[in-house]
């Protein structure tokens, strides 16, 4: 008895799976597949070239933005802190994610073809799941970093030391690798009996599942549901972290500091919400609801847009990173992009503190004889730690 016979009104996200007899019957068809056919953006040559130009512009913007972030953080030793360490790894993952899907789609549009080899499809599924899963894990870690930096600044160096940061980054990469291997090994072990035409511009798991014909597709469905639950828990953790951050921000007396904090945190949540929403639509919607054009747009929103806009939202709006970029790439162009007049006045502050040299019957001398320069470190406009500045003491 099949699942459809038991539950006639059940709406599955993917086509119903056949029995074991059908699995044996279609095994030969599955083993004979040597390539897949991807969905073209348009049937006309002019629109294909327009798609190529659009994706080329997005890809070059992502390469430029993420490449600048990686180079700047690696070059400037002042940026070797936990926050910029995570930003560097985020840029690496963004480059990997967008390079997995976009170049092949551009090449197919330019050559007026839709083919992708079987091995290429396997590699695309593994790499895409690997980079996306690792990136979402890293975004969760970054929300924790901001929570510690703003809500518990005195414990920042203790809770997020260099070893802890390495362990958190390694855990994100390991999570992505585990998800990639699990989904790829499971989905390509299924016999395929519905042809080799994938209704998407890259090898996407839900579209490949539509081609399957075995009962083991339920196993992949359970994996997707478990992964969705884990992603949702990570999203809840991010939201809770940012709620605590907003509560701390509202206690800041400076209106400018509150405005900058909200302008920094809200775009982060917007991008993550876009990723979660569009990804849920793609992976969890019933197969009976299918609009190829809408599916194409939604897939672009969660697979192409975030890697392209993350450099602008997470990094290039950061004043300290822009100052480092100005040092790395001097010139009029960068000066126009990051004008000096827009620099924040609260990133680093210096003040003089007095040290009494003698004391008498009336107590310490009130006239400052020796002064030291003290530097206050800031994290997104919030004072994090006050340390002696790296300068010599001054004699007044």
């Amino acid at each position: 008895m099949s699942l459809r016979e038991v539950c006639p009104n059940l709406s599955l996200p993917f086509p119903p799976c056949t029995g074991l007899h059908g699995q044996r019957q279609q095994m030969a068809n599955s083993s004979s597949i040597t390539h897949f056919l991807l969905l073209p953006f348009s049937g006309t040559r002019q629109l294909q070239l327009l798609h190529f130009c659009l994706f080329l512009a997005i890809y070059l913007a992502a390469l430029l933005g993420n490449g600048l972030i990686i180079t700047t953080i690696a070059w400037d030793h002042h940026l070797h802190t936990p926050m910029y360490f995570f930003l560097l790894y985020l840029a690496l993952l963004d480059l990997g994610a967008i390079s997995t899907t976009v170049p092949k789609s551009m090449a197919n549009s330019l050559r007026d073809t839709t083919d992708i080899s079987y091995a290429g499809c396997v590699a695309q599924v593994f790499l895409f799941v690997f980079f996306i899963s690792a990136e979402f894990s890293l975004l969760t870690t970054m929300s924790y970093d901001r929570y510690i930096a703003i809500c518990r600044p005195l414990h920042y160096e203790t809770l997020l030391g260099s070893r802890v940061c390495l362990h958190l980054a390694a855990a994100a990469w390991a999570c992505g690798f585990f998800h990639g291997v699990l989904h790829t090994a499971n989905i390509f072990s299924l016999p395929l009996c519905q042809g080799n035409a994938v209704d998407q511009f890259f090898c996407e798991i839900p579209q490949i599942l539509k081609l399957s014909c075995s009962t083991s597709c339920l196993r992949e469905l359970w994996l997707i549901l478990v992964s969705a639950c884990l992603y949702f828990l990570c999203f809840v953790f991010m939201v809770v972290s940012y709620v605590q951050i907003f509560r701390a921000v509202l206690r800041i007396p400076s209106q400018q500091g509150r405005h900058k904090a909200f302008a920094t945190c809200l775009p982060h949540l917007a991008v993550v919400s876009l990723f979660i929403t569009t990804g849920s639509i793609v992976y969890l919607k019933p197969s009976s609801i299918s609009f190829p054009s809408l599916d194409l747009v939604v897939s672009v929103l969660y697979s192409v847009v975030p890697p392209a806009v993350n450099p602008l939202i997470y990094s290039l709006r950061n004043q300290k990173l822009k100052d480092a970029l100005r040092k790395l790439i001097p010139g009029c162009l960068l000066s126009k992009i990051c004008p000096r007049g827009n620099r924040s006045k609260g990133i680093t502050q210096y003040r003089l503190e007095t040290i009494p040299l003698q004391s008498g019957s009336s107590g310490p001398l009130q006239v400052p004889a020796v002064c030291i320069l003290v530097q206050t470190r800031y994290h997104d406009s919030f004072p994090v730690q006050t340390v002696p500045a790296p300068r010599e003491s001054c004699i007044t």
Side-chain angles (χ1 to χ4, degrees):
M1 184 176 294
S2 67
L3 183 64
R4 182 63 69 185
E5 292 172 350
V6 176
C7 306
N9 297 324
L10 180 64
S11 179
L12 294 175
F14 307 106
C17 306
T18 62
L20 185 60
H21 176 70
Q23 177 178 344
R24 294 197 186 101
Q25 196 172 30
Q26 301 296 338
M27 186 69 73
N29 291 341
S30 174
S31 60
S32 63
I33 293 179
T34 59
H35 68 283
F36 292 93
L37 301 177
L38 300 177
L39 180 68
F41 273 80
S42 175
T44 61
R45 186 59 181 160
Q46 292 78 7
L47 291 179
Q48 286 180 354
L49 293 177
L50 178 62
H51 154 251
F52 169 80
C53 296
L54 178 62
F55 265 33
L56 179 62
I58 295 175
Y59 187 58
L60 291 178
L63 286 180
L64 178 62
N66 289 290
L68 284 176
I69 292 169
I70 294 171
T71 305
T72 304
I73 295 177
W75 170 78
D76 193 338
H77 68 277
H78 294 100
L79 300 180
H80 294 175
T81 60
M83 182 181 73
Y84 297 101
F85 173 81
F86 293 134
L87 286 178
L88 185 146
Y89 275 94
L90 179 65
L92 287 173
L93 292 173
D94 281 336
L95 281 180
I98 199 169
S99 298
T100 301
T101 58
V102 170
K104 179 60 180 176
S105 180
M106 289 192 303
N108 283 353
S109 294
L110 190 61
R111 296 183 300 172
D112 194 16
T113 183
T114 59
D115 288 355
I116 183 172
S117 66
Y118 188 90
C121 190
V122 172
Q124 204 171 62
V125 169
F126 168 73
L127 291 175
F128 184 74
V129 174
F130 166 65
F131 286 121
I132 291 298
S133 299
E135 180 170 335
F136 201 76
S137 301
L138 190 66
L139 290 175
T140 307
T141 303
M142 291 172 65
S143 68
Y144 174 72
D145 166 70
R146 287 178 174 83
Y147 165 74
I148 296 297
I150 295 173
C151 299
R152 302 184 64 184
L154 297 180
H155 300 88
Y156 186 74
E157 298 293 339
T158 305
L159 296 176
L160 282 175
S162 57
R163 179 167 301 193
V164 176
C165 291
L166 287 174
H167 289 168
L168 290 174
W173 287 79
C175 178
F177 181 81
F178 176 74
H179 272 84
V181 170
L182 199 61
H183 284 283
T184 305
N186 188 58
I187 195 169
F188 285 101
S189 66
L190 304 176
L192 307 178
C193 61
Q194 304 295 330
N196 64 341
V198 180
D199 291 334
Q200 196 51 266
F201 73 97
F202 68 99
C203 289
E204 191 178 55
I205 289 179
Q207 302 300 329
I208 297 177
L209 277 180
K210 290 182 179 180
L211 308 178
S212 66
C213 55
S214 74
T215 53
S216 56
C217 69
L218 294 176
R219 190 174 56 202
E220 178 62 24
L221 176 60
W222 279 109
L223 284 177
I224 291 177
L225 292 176
V226 171
S227 299
C229 291
L230 292 176
Y231 289 148
F232 180 74
L233 289 177
C234 291
F235 179 68
V236 170
F237 179 84
M238 292 185 204
V239 172
V240 171
S241 299
Y242 280 113
V243 167
Q244 297 298 321
I245 291 173
F246 292 151
R247 290 179 60 185
V249 166
L250 292 175
R251 293 195 293 265
I252 297 177
S254 169
Q255 184 177 0
Q256 183 181 3
R258 290 197 302 268
H259 174 74
K260 183 176 180 180
F262 283 117
T264 301
C265 296
L266 289 178
H268 298 178
L269 280 178
V271 172
V272 175
S273 301
L274 175 67
F275 176 81
I276 284 288
T277 304
T278 52
S280 300
I281 292 173
V282 169
Y283 283 85
L284 300 180
K285 74 177 181 64
S287 59
S288 57
I289 306 176
S290 180
F291 303 97
S293 299
L294 180 61
D295 292 343
L296 199 63
V297 172
V298 171
S299 294
V300 169
L301 287 178
Y302 90 91
S303 63
V304 177
V305 173
V309 301
N310 276 345
L312 294 176
I313 291 179
Y314 282 93
S315 302
L316 296 183
R317 289 159 51 96
N318 183 286
Q319 188 60 46
K320 194 172 181 181
L321 189 59
K322 288 194 289 187
D323 289 340
L325 273 173
R326 188 179 292 109
K327 296 176 184 177
L328 180 63
I329 309 175
C332 297
L333 178 61
L334 194 59
S335 298
K336 293 180 180 179
I337 296 176
C338 310
R340 293 181 179 272
N342 292 335
R343 290 186 180 182
S344 174
K345 298 180 180 179
I347 292 180
T348 302
Q349 290 183 351
Y350 295 95
R351 70 176 185 271
L352 295 179
E353 289 191 354
T354 62
I355 298 179
L357 292 183
Q358 337 176 7
S359 59
S361 58
S362 60
L365 293 177
Q366 300 301 319
V367 179
V370 178
C371 64
I372 61 172
L373 202 58
V374 174
Q375 178 186 8
T376 301
R377 292 174 49 201
Y378 278 70
H379 182 96
D380 289 342
S381 293
F382 311 111
V384 174
Q385 187 180 14
T386 301
V387 296
R391 299 188 181 183
E392 298 295 330
S393 297
C394 55
I395 306 295
T396 59

